């Protein structure tokens, strides 16, 4: 991949088993999928970017274009007012490693404004995947654009510790799931974006996520309490001792017990840092969740209330809790999705409770 190109894109090369110089089979920019002819002489290459719709080419075994078969027509989508997310590049915590993400802004963005738009991070730490799992074209990415239309800048960044890069990149925070969780990269990346795009109000930063992203969200609110002002955490696996051992131990390692009764997992568990909460946190979990047990969220509630912050005060800020009878795919009741929670988030960032 050339310098400056998104290193999360999927490209294909041909190289002999005896070594030698690799041959690019998919030289066009974007994420590629290929189908190789049975005789190996040709391949069908389908590729796109978040901004550019799919193109289908036929290439020979050296990557030379034989013919373009088709290109998707998105003229009606554009006529309806659709706009793609922006691909953004930032530097990681080490000030040298390039990271990529996607950023959604309001359709009627006032790019000349200064500190007008609060920024909200939708994150997923992995380590088995990242915040952005798809670098190809799609007309919609969940609620991201819909949330942006309500007056936010929304960003997702693949931090260090996520896959599809080098082994050392993926292993960056092995054994530090709570202490790291890509958060150093999320915070520095958001600050860099605010410097590049002055219309972002970095003093009004929020975060939300689901499952591992819910873990990340509460983690962010507890470990970066002066940066993140508001967060909503859905179905978070907040303590890996209470989650699947085949996932937690894979990335955190076996439990190591300390002489004081704590373990290597204690310092990673969100409920143990709930006392640091300064902002406004919403916790949501479905009581029929068959993946992340609902009591994972109740551990955080207990951690918060044990230090004197009580959920659901109607005339004060603190913690709100949504618990509902639903399964993994719908963690909050119908009508209480990300966009429906936006007034709550906006009110929290602005310091005003919304009905």
């Amino acid at each position: 991949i050339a310098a400056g190109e998104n290193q999360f894109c999927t490209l294909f090369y041909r190289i002999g088993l005896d070594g030698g110089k690799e041959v690019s089979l998919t030289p066009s920019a974007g994420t590629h999928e290929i189908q190789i002819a049975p005789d190996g002489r040709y391949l069908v290459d389908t590729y796109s970017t978040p901004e550019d719709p799919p193109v289908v080419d036929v290439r020979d075994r050296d990557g030379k274009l034989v013919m373009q078969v088709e290109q998707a027509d998105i003229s009606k989508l554009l006529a309806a007012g659709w706009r793609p997310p922006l691909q953004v590049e930032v530097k990681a915590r080490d000030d040298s490693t390039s990271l990529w993400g996607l950023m959604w802004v309001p359709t009627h963005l006032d790019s000349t404004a200064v500190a007008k738009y609060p920024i909200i991070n939708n994150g997923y730490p992995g380590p088995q995947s990242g915040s952005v799992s798809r670098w190809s074209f799609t007309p919609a990415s969940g609620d991201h654009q819909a949330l942006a239309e309500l007056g936010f800048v929304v960003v997702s960044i693949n931090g260090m510790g996520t896959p599809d890069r080098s082994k050392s990149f993926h292993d960056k925070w092995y054994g530090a799931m709570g202490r790291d969780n890509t958060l150093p990269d999320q915070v520095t990346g958001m600050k860099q974006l605010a410097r590049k795009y002055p219309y972002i109000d970095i003093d009004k930063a929020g975060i939300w996520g689901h499952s591992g992203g819910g873990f990340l969200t509460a983690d962010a609110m507890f470990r970066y309490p002066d940066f993140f002002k508001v967060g909503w955490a859905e179905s978070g696996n907040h303590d890996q001792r209470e989650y699947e051992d085949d996932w937690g131990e894979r990335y955190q390692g076996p439990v190591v017990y300390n002489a004081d009764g704590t373990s290597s997992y204690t310092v990673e568990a969100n409920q143990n840092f709930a006392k640091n909460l300064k902002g406004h946190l919403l916790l949501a979990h479905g009581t029929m969740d068959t993946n992340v047990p609902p009591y994972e969220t109740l551990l955080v509630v207990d951690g918060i209330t044990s230090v004197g912050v009580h959920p659901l005060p109607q005339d004060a800020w603190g913690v709100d809790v949504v618990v509902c009878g639903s399964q993994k795919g719908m963690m909050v009741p119908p009508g209480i999705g990300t966009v429906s929670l936006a007034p709550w988030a906006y009110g929290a960032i602005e310091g005003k409770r919304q009905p």
Side-chain angles (χ1 to χ4, degrees):
I1 297 178
E5 290 187 8
N6 188 336
Q7 296 185 36
F8 288 101
C9 290
T10 302
L11 306 173
F12 291 86
Y13 293 83
R14 176 173 60 80
I15 189 169
L17 295 177
D18 57 352
K21 184 174 178 58
E22 72 277 1
V23 176
S24 172
L25 302 178
T26 54
S28 300
T31 285
H32 296 254
E33 296 179 1
I34 65 171
Q35 294 175 295
I36 301 176
D39 62 5
R41 295 175 58 195
Y42 299 98
L43 61 90
V44 177
D45 176 20
T46 303
Y47 61 94
S48 65
T49 73
E51 302 95 339
D52 304 307
V55 176
V56 181
D57 291 338
V58 175
R59 297 183 178 274
D60 66 18
R61 68 188 308 272
D62 293 319
K64 181 179 178 180
L65 181 65
V66 176
M67 64 176 294
Q68 183 175 107
V69 178
E70 193 167 7
Q71 180 172 0
D73 180 4
I74 61 168
S75 58
K76 292 184 179 179
L77 192 62
L78 295 171
W82 178 86
R83 64 183 301 164
L86 303 173
Q87 289 195 67
V88 293
E89 179 184 356
V90 297
K91 296 300 180 183
R93 68 195 73 185
D94 59 7
D95 295 325
S96 62
T97 303
S98 290
L99 304 174
W100 281 268
L102 296 178
M103 189 172 82
W104 294 261
V105 299
T107 301
H108 301 292
L109 174 76
D110 181 2
S111 60
T112 65
V114 176
K116 179 177 180 179
Y117 301 95
I119 182 170
I120 296 182
N121 184 305
N122 176 224
Y124 189 87
Q128 83 283 9
S129 63
S131 299
V132 180
S133 59
R134 177 172 179 169
W135 294 97
S136 54
F137 182 86
T138 179
S141 300
D143 290 336
H144 295 71
Q145 186 61 46
L147 185 58
E149 296 298 344
L150 298 177
F152 298 101
V153 169
V154 180
V155 65
S156 291
I157 299 170
N158 278 6
M160 299 183 79
T162 52
D164 301 326
R165 298 275 291 268
S166 67
K167 175 64 172 167
S168 60
F169 185 94
H170 194 193
D171 288 346
K172 178 64 180 177
W173 44 272
Y174 175 84
M177 297 191 72
R179 287 170 292 164
D180 194 296
N181 237 356
T182 78
L183 282 169
D185 298 323
Q186 305 297 335
V187 171
T188 188
M190 293 168 73
K191 290 179 178 178
Q192 291 171 53
L193 292 174
R195 289 194 292 269
K196 183 174 181 179
Y197 303 101
Y199 52 77
I200 294 175
D201 188 349
I202 198 61
D203 293 325
K204 295 178 180 177
I207 184 169
W208 106 87
H210 178 83
S211 193
F215 172 40
L216 173 74
T217 296
D219 198 16
M221 297 297 293
F222 300 155
R223 298 186 193 253
Y224 292 84
D226 294 318
F227 180 76
F228 290 105
K229 306 302 190 297
V230 59
W232 62 98
E234 303 172 5
S235 310
N237 51 310
H238 300 285
D239 185 339
Q240 307 321 311
R241 294 169 294 188
E242 309 297 331
Y243 189 49
E244 301 174 7
D245 54 2
D246 64 340
W247 189 86
E249 290 190 3
R250 185 187 309 172
Y251 301 113
Q252 180 60 33
V255 177
V256 177
Y257 293 98
N258 304 317
D260 62 0
T262 63
S263 76
S264 55
Y265 279 61
T266 304
V267 72
E268 316 298 345
N270 275 344
Q271 70 270 20
N272 296 326
F273 297 87
K275 62 181 181 296
N276 297 332
L277 179 65
K278 293 182 179 179
H280 316 305
L281 175 61
L282 186 145
L283 300 166
H285 213 122
T287 56
M288 293 192 293
D289 192 330
T290 57
N291 182 17
V292 179
Y295 56 75
E296 286 267 21
T297 289
L298 297 180
L299 285 172
V300 177
V301 173
D302 183 65
I304 292 171
T305 57
S306 67
V307 294
V309 178
H310 295 281
L312 299 174
Q314 293 303 308
D315 57 353
W317 284 108
V319 182
D320 289 342
V321 183
V322 176
V323 181
C324 57
S326 55
Q327 296 185 10
K328 189 67 177 177
M330 186 176 66
M331 289 299 96
V332 290
I336 309 183
T338 301
V339 174
S340 298
L341 292 174
W344 177 90
Y346 208 102
I349 288 177
E350 297 291 343
K352 302 174 182 177
R353 177 172 288 279
Q354 296 290 324

